[in-house]
Amino acid sequence: MQIEFLYSKIHRATVTDANLEYVGSITIDEELMEAANLLEGMKVDILDVNNGERFQTYVIKGKRGNRDICLNGAAARKVAKGDKVIIVSYALMTLEEKAQFQPSVVIVDDKNNIVKKI
């Protein structure tokens, strides 16, 4: 049996832009993606700390070093520039796989610089 478990998380990232006119998704700085083991096209949950919104979208790779966290398309209506969000991904695992797995948790500062990786 497989159960869905936490795979990775970027904790309290700051939304740098919300682009309603772009085809939906979330653009994430490539360095942050790598730190959190996120892949382009991967489904993620977005949890907005400021307004309580919770929704799903998929990842688009942003320019390395720009520290972009940009919600695109319909998702842009769920956030505001400057909001704090938690970006979460999950993976299906057996209990045996879970026993050997440690999720990637990336803590960022107000400018989306990596402070710590757990």
Side-chain angles (χ1 to χ4, degrees):
M1 169 180 16
Q2 291 192 325
I3 302 169
E4 200 167 22
F5 290 99
L6 176 66
Y7 179 73
S8 67
K9 170 169 87 165
I10 300 174
H11 191 71
R12 294 183 62 89
T14 303
V15 174
T16 58
D17 199 8
N19 184 350
L20 185 61
E21 300 306 318
Y22 192 85
V23 176
S25 59
I26 182 170
T27 303
I28 301 175
D29 178 299
E30 183 178 19
E31 188 177 344
L32 293 174
M33 285 177 59
E34 289 172 359
N37 294 323
L38 295 174
L39 302 173
E40 193 161 28
M42 186 178 236
K43 181 172 82 171
V44 290
D45 283 352
I46 309 300
L47 319 175
D48 190 312
V49 175
N50 294 76
N51 65 22
E53 288 281 358
R54 299 173 69 97
F55 56 94
Q56 294 180 333
T57 191
Y58 61 92
V59 175
I60 289 181
K61 182 175 12 178
K63 186 173 179 184
R64 179 180 292 277
N66 274 10
R67 298 299 183 250
D68 290 333
I69 300 291
C70 177
L71 279 300
N72 303 303
R77 293 208 183 271
K78 303 270 189 186
V79 300
K81 188 174 177 178
D83 280 3
K84 295 292 185 186
V85 293
I86 301 168
I87 304 163
V88 184
S89 68
Y90 306 92
L92 291 172
M93 298 178 220
T94 64
L95 294 176
E96 293 78 19
E97 290 171 324
K98 171 60 176 131
Q100 303 298 317
F101 181 77
Q102 193 65 255
S104 298
V105 177
V106 178
I107 310 296
V108 295
D109 65 14
D110 288 341
K111 296 187 179 184
N112 296 330
N113 294 305
I114 298 170
V115 173
K116 181 169 41 171
K117 184 175 175 186
I118 301 172

